[in-house]
Amino acid sequence: MTFSSSYLLSITTFIYLGAAALYLIHWVFRVEKVGLLATFVTLAGLICQTAGIGMRWVESYQLGYGHAPLSNLYESLVFFAWVTVLVYLIIEYKTKKRVIGAFATPFATLAMAYASFSPDVQDTIQPLIPALQSNWLIAHVITCFLGYASFAVACGMGIMYLVRGSGEGKGLLSSLPSHKVLDELMHQTIIFGFLWLSVGIITGAVWANQAWGTYWSWDPKETWSLITWFVYATALHARFVRGWQGKRIALLSIIGFISVIFTYFGVNFLLSGLHSYGSS
Amino acid sequence: MKNTKNSSGSNPVWQFFTSVRLAIFLLIILAITSIIGTIIPQGESMQFYLDKYGPDMFKVIKALKLDDTYHSWWYLTLLGLFSVNLIVCTLNRLPFTIKLFKRDYINVTADYLRRVTFRREWRISGDRPELKEKILEIFEKVAGSYRHKKLENGDDVFMVESGKWSYWGLYGLHISILIIFAGAVFGSVTGFKGRLMLLEGETSDHAVASSDPSKKIPLGFSIRCDRFFVDFYDTGAPKEFRSDLTVIDNGKEVMKKSILVNDPLTYKGVTFYQSSYQSIPEVSVQVSDTSGASRTLVIPAFQRVSWPEAGITMGLMKFLPNVHGVPAVSLWIGDSTGRADSIWLFKGGPKEISAGGKTYKLNMIDASERYMTGLQVKKDPGVWIVWLGCTALILGFAIVFWVGHRRTWLYLGQDGKDMVVLLGGQTNKNRLKFEQDFEAVAQAIDEVTGEGR
Ligand code: HEM
């Protein structure tokens, strides 16, 4: 393949892989400079990926289809990775806690690797079928994936919470942020994700209402997004109930992300419905 | 709400519904039970479930209405409990929130400020009004504009406060969910969902209920499909479906619109959506009898067309658009005595047939396909309530997420010979960010008091 968007996006996969490795080294060996390098590599990956997505957009116009690169499984995976990295970098910028990178960038790497190398995922640019020709679709996809990406990062934090004991010792795990900090960050990230998931569900409903005349038809994908929404609503309220704080919220954050993954892939591959990303 | 008690506090049913623990329980149960309807196909015939799941599971499915999980009595009961939980929780919390909202947070004591979440204290010997002035100046510069209160003992409290109204954001958020439910219920009670198939040129004044195809829903006006178009990409994937519709009300054409998949037509609260199409063949046949009389009959699929004077009726049974380059049809022929026969007719190949003792000559003039557009027809007066609720949900969320009630106090007082400077901070949201801002104020005061680190 010549120089094309797919080429840039494949390169991005390796850059993110490198970044994830650097964050891991930074965490394990506690070298500040490696952490800084990891941030720069991640940023470079983000720029490369942004260029790739932009090129893909242009290519779709050259093919005469002319649509935003958000319309099939491949494009949505790439966008997921892009937002995950973006959300992570914002959190890193705000909190200056680079260890989180070791738990967040792998999600982006995995998504990109799956998009680029799995035989299930076609990276050709396809035209839009009539139901997908809507600006609400773009709003729907962007907001849903902002939610999904935040949940990926929150899941990373949940894992950090669980693997880190509450001890203050000198081990590898105790160099992770304290439970108190993780709990607060996780809560903030989940609320942020929950906000976008809610907007995503709503824009999806507006779109469905315009295309099919019903804003809610209980199709499996819709229902799974609602299940995901219930799980995170539980996580948000758990902190107000004695016996539910801390560990259980971390668990809910992980369960919630599993539900996201199921909403995203499981429904396409295992169940049937209106949303045809997987099968097309 | 944890520490609130009000007049209804003694009622155990009320108490039960105030609990967030119940909300957690219901959310988890809803999450788990919602999975069922994504695994078992919904809305199929009873026979389907019997064949697929066997007699035992079938009994369970029937009893629990798992063929329509989300409208089953038990699922609706869960949603009902959830709504009651939400209403009671909201009402229960109201007096407490009003109290929080009305309270004037400038009424603090030095002791109180020594116990708030974020706090710093400086002791400087002597009474130094010029330093006080400087501290206040830097406080205003870093923290923002303040309110002032002089205490009875002569000490001063200054407070910077923001986002007090944000307590109501959570109400907006929780109530919005009830508004959405209300809109959905209202819409399903007062509206309808139907379907309509219209041949090009055909007019209808009713739709057919989606839930029960034998039920007609009068529209109160008529709708006509003038044309239908379908367009494909080179790949064969569909690119566009379009129906040109005309609304006829009281005998007058009142509205014309071409609808696309994401662009419906709405008239008098009834919306027509492009949802599917079919192509219907139609054939024109010239029929001549022995007397020399001749007539052209246009026969669409599924219909019978007669020439009564000549005693012949024809129907279109099969249509092949291309048989060795010409269209071919299979025709059903009935005579006046009711006997029937069928023949194949090719374009450009006239045929003679005999029916009811007479001989006719048939000649296919044209064979074409006409489109029939498939429309979804919906009336949902509750949809606006739902959108209102959704807007409130997003706004409420934005407030819950971004706006917190932040208070920063500066206490300037005298304790014997020492001057006491207390800095206190409290927030109910985003503590990390608040801590940074608080530290900035503390550091600025550090510098003024000469304790710069
Ligand atoms: C699925 C529907 C619900 C959603 C989306 C929702 C959303 C939220 C959110 C986002 C918060 C703020 C969390 C925070 O600031 O940390 C919250 C808090 C709260 N919710 Fe809900 N909630 C729902 C249902 C309920 C129900 C049924 C109850 C009834 C018990 C309830 C009671 C509360 C209470 C008491 C708080 C705590 C407020 C506080 O003390 O700051 N919520 N809810």
Side-chain angles (χ1 to χ4, degrees):
Chain A
M1 194 175 285
T2 52
F3 189 74
S4 69
S5 64
S6 306
Y7 181 68
L8 271 181
L9 292 171
S10 310
I11 293 179
T12 308
T13 312
F14 292 104
I15 302 182
Y16 285 159
L17 186 64
L22 286 171
Y23 275 119
L24 208 62
I25 294 170
H26 162 67
W27 171 40
V28 175
F29 299 102
R30 285 179 232 178
V31 189
E32 217 28 64
K33 281 207 180 112
V34 179
L36 197 64
L37 184 64
T39 305
F40 279 119
V41 172
T42 311
L43 204 59
L46 190 71
I47 292 167
C48 178
Q49 192 182 9
T50 311
I53 293 174
M55 265 184 79
R56 195 175 165 92
W57 204 333
V58 173
E59 284 164 14
S60 107
Y61 272 92
Q62 285 164 352
L63 282 171
Y65 301 146
H67 60 75
L70 297 167
S71 68
N72 61 14
L73 183 62
Y74 174 81
E75 291 170 354
S76 71
L77 278 165
V78 169
F79 186 67
F80 168 75
W82 188 81
V83 193
T84 304
V85 167
L86 190 67
V87 168
Y88 165 69
L89 281 178
I90 291 170
I91 292 177
E92 183 190 294
Y93 175 76
K94 288 202 153 188
T95 64
K96 309 277 181 274
K97 297 201 188 317
R98 290 212 169 84
V99 226
I100 300 173
F103 292 81
T105 47
F107 287 108
T109 313
L110 283 176
M112 287 304 288
Y114 183 60
S116 303
F117 306 119
S118 164
D120 299 340
V121 185
Q122 290 181 1
D123 69 354
T124 49
I125 298 178
Q126 291 140 347
L128 289 181
I129 60 167
L132 299 184
Q133 297 161 8
S134 164
N135 285 333
W136 286 106
L137 168 74
I138 298 179
H140 175 57
V141 175
I142 290 179
T143 49
C144 279
F145 280 89
L146 263 171
Y148 292 176
S150 316
F151 292 146
V153 178
C155 173
M157 291 171 177
I159 295 171
M160 288 165 85
Y161 191 100
L162 292 184
V163 298
R164 186 198 199 284
S166 44
E168 291 298 325
K170 283 233 162 8
L172 182 59
L173 295 175
S174 62
S175 67
L176 296 175
S178 72
H179 271 173
K180 187 171 148 256
V181 170
L182 279 176
D183 187 60
E184 181 65 25
L185 273 176
M186 195 160 63
H187 184 70
Q188 290 286 325
T189 315
I190 290 177
I191 294 200
F192 185 72
F194 194 63
L195 164 66
W196 289 115
L197 177 65
S198 306
V199 180
I201 293 176
I202 292 170
T203 48
V206 175
W207 171 37
N209 191 53
Q210 220 173 53
W212 295 291
T214 31
Y215 50 84
W216 195 263
S217 49
W218 294 104
D219 111 300
K221 193 141 186 154
E222 273 170 6
T223 309
W224 268 96
S225 70
L226 188 67
I227 293 169
T228 307
W229 197 73
F230 285 146
V231 174
Y232 285 108
T234 312
L236 286 182
H237 288 87
R239 58 171 17 207
F240 300 112
V241 177
R242 213 177 312 124
W244 275 83
Q245 293 105 334
K247 209 166 151 183
R248 287 198 194 176
I249 298 180
L251 259 175
L252 281 169
S253 171
I254 296 169
I255 294 172
F257 190 61
I258 293 172
S259 177
V260 166
I261 294 181
F262 197 80
T263 310
Y264 189 7
F265 301 112
V267 175
N268 293 325
F269 293 127
L270 302 175
L271 309 169
S272 61
L274 293 171
H275 293 74
S276 56
Y277 273 0
S279 50
S280 68
Chain B
M1 67 156 308
K2 280 158 274 178
N3 309 317
T4 53
K5 280 259 174 345
N6 62 18
S7 52
S8 352
S10 49
N11 182 339
V13 179
W14 181 272
Q15 277 306 315
F16 174 72
F17 279 110
T18 59
S19 124
V20 182
R21 200 175 282 275
L22 176 66
I24 298 256
F25 173 77
L26 287 173
L27 283 168
I28 293 177
I29 296 289
L30 279 169
I32 294 173
T33 53
S34 297
I35 297 175
I36 298 172
T38 67
I39 295 172
I40 298 178
Q42 301 286 290
E44 302 285 346
S45 69
M46 282 298 141
Q47 193 59 41
F48 169 89
Y49 296 106
L50 188 58
D51 294 346
K52 181 156 182 190
Y53 294 101
D56 291 336
M57 260 307 278
F58 176 71
K59 274 188 205 132
V60 178
I61 289 176
K62 209 171 154 195
L64 295 178
K65 292 241 172 285
L66 300 185
D67 61 310
D68 192 11
T69 312
Y70 308 107
H71 301 103
S72 64
W73 53 271
W74 59 268
Y75 195 83
L76 293 178
T77 306
L78 283 176
L79 289 179
L81 284 175
F82 186 72
S83 310
V84 175
N85 190 190
L86 206 49
I87 294 169
V88 173
C89 216
T90 304
L91 288 178
N92 192 57
R93 211 180 133 80
L94 200 57
F96 178 60
T97 309
I98 292 176
K99 216 171 85 196
L100 279 183
F101 185 71
K102 283 201 174 153
R103 199 165 129 191
D104 190 351
Y105 293 86
I106 204 161
N107 295 316
V108 290
T109 60
D111 277 344
Y112 177 84
L113 291 183
R114 290 192 174 100
R115 281 181 281 116
V116 294
T117 322
F118 302 97
R119 51 186 189 258
R120 284 288 297 278
E121 180 163 357
W122 295 261
R123 271 178 175 270
I124 299 142
S125 56
D127 181 8
R128 300 179 41 196
E130 87 296 340
L131 184 60
K132 278 189 183 172
E133 200 104 318
K134 248 178 145 174
I135 291 176
L136 191 56
E137 205 172 287
I138 202 79
F139 179 69
E140 179 166 27
K141 205 168 127 207
V142 183
S145 57
Y146 54 77
R147 283 199 294 135
H148 171 220
K149 184 172 180 187
K150 189 120 198 124
L151 300 184
E152 279 171 20
N153 62 6
D155 294 352
D156 296 282
V157 183
F158 304 88
M159 178 178 70
V160 177
E161 186 183 29
S162 71
K164 194 178 179 183
W165 55 273
S166 67
Y167 287 117
W168 301 110
L170 201 62
Y171 282 85
L173 173 57
H174 283 119
I175 293 170
S176 69
I177 292 163
L178 294 169
I179 299 177
I180 294 172
F181 280 174
V185 171
F186 181 69
S188 68
V189 172
T190 57
F192 63 77
K193 255 183 227 160
R195 278 194 301 253
L196 181 57
M197 299 293 292
L198 280 181
L199 261 174
E200 286 177 313
E202 200 183 357
T203 307
S204 174
D205 60 0
H206 64 267
V208 171
S210 303
S211 52
D212 175 8
S214 64
K215 203 173 121 204
K216 284 185 178 178
I217 305 168
L219 297 172
F221 55 88
S222 298
I223 184 127
R224 185 179 69 219
C225 174
D226 298 315
R227 279 204 70 179
F228 176 83
F229 300 88
V230 55
D231 194 7
F232 297 93
Y233 292 105
D234 302 337
T235 61
K239 182 176 183 180
E240 184 176 285
F241 304 130
R242 194 179 99 207
S243 300
D244 294 349
L245 301 181
T246 302
V247 177
I248 301 155
D249 199 356
N250 269 325
K252 276 201 286 282
E253 293 190 359
V254 288
M255 190 172 178
K256 269 183 185 293
K257 179 166 175 171
S258 301
I259 64 165
L260 305 173
V261 171
N262 277 299
D263 188 12
L265 174 153
T266 302
Y267 182 73
K268 287 197 171 166
V270 182
T271 309
F272 298 85
Y273 300 86
Q274 181 68 60
S275 81
S276 62
Y277 75 97
Q278 278 179 11
S279 65
I280 307 287
E282 181 181 88
V283 61
S284 347
V285 180
Q286 188 184 40
V287 189
S288 334
D289 71 3
T290 38
S291 70
S294 157
R295 167 130 9 144
T296 301
L297 299 182
V298 177
I299 315 161
F302 318 124
Q303 282 180 42
R304 288 187 184 170
V305 177
S306 314
W307 181 11
E309 296 81 24
I312 185 168
T313 302
M314 293 197 287
L316 177 56
M317 293 184 358
K318 258 203 188 107
F319 170 75
L320 300 175
N322 190 345
V323 177
H324 302 302
V326 293
V329 291
S330 162
L331 292 176
W332 176 96
I333 315 275
D335 64 23
S336 48
T337 66
R339 279 193 320 143
D341 203 354
S342 78
I343 60 152
W344 277 98
L345 192 64
F346 296 82
K347 190 170 179 188
K351 257 191 189 164
E352 284 198 355
I353 54 156
S354 55
K358 286 201 202 164
T359 306
Y360 302 91
K361 204 171 135 197
L362 304 184
N363 186 14
M364 188 197 301
I365 296 172
D366 193 20
S368 59
E369 286 186 275
R370 270 170 80 192
Y371 284 116
M372 189 183 229
T373 183
L375 305 174
Q376 290 266 9
V377 187
K378 189 201 70 170
K379 183 173 175 176
D380 185 354
V383 76
W384 291 108
I385 305 176
V386 172
W387 296 148
L388 184 80
C390 290
T391 312
L393 184 96
I394 294 169
L395 283 179
F397 240 124
I399 293 168
V400 167
F401 184 63
W402 278 295
V403 189
H405 184 199
R406 297 164 56 124
R407 286 140 287 169
T408 312
W409 295 273
L410 175 68
Y411 187 101
L412 296 176
Q414 205 64 33
D415 182 12
K417 283 196 175 144
D418 288 347
M419 169 181 150
V420 175
V421 180
L422 287 170
L423 187 67
Q426 194 98 60
T427 183
N428 59 354
K429 213 81 17 97
N430 204 345
R431 290 167 59 156
L432 295 175
K433 172 78 176 74
F434 184 78
E435 189 167 9
Q436 285 171 11
D437 294 348
F438 183 84
E439 276 308 313
V441 181
Q443 267 179 29
I445 295 179
D446 269 343
E447 271 160 35
V448 178
T449 56
E451 278 185 32
R453 272 177 282 179

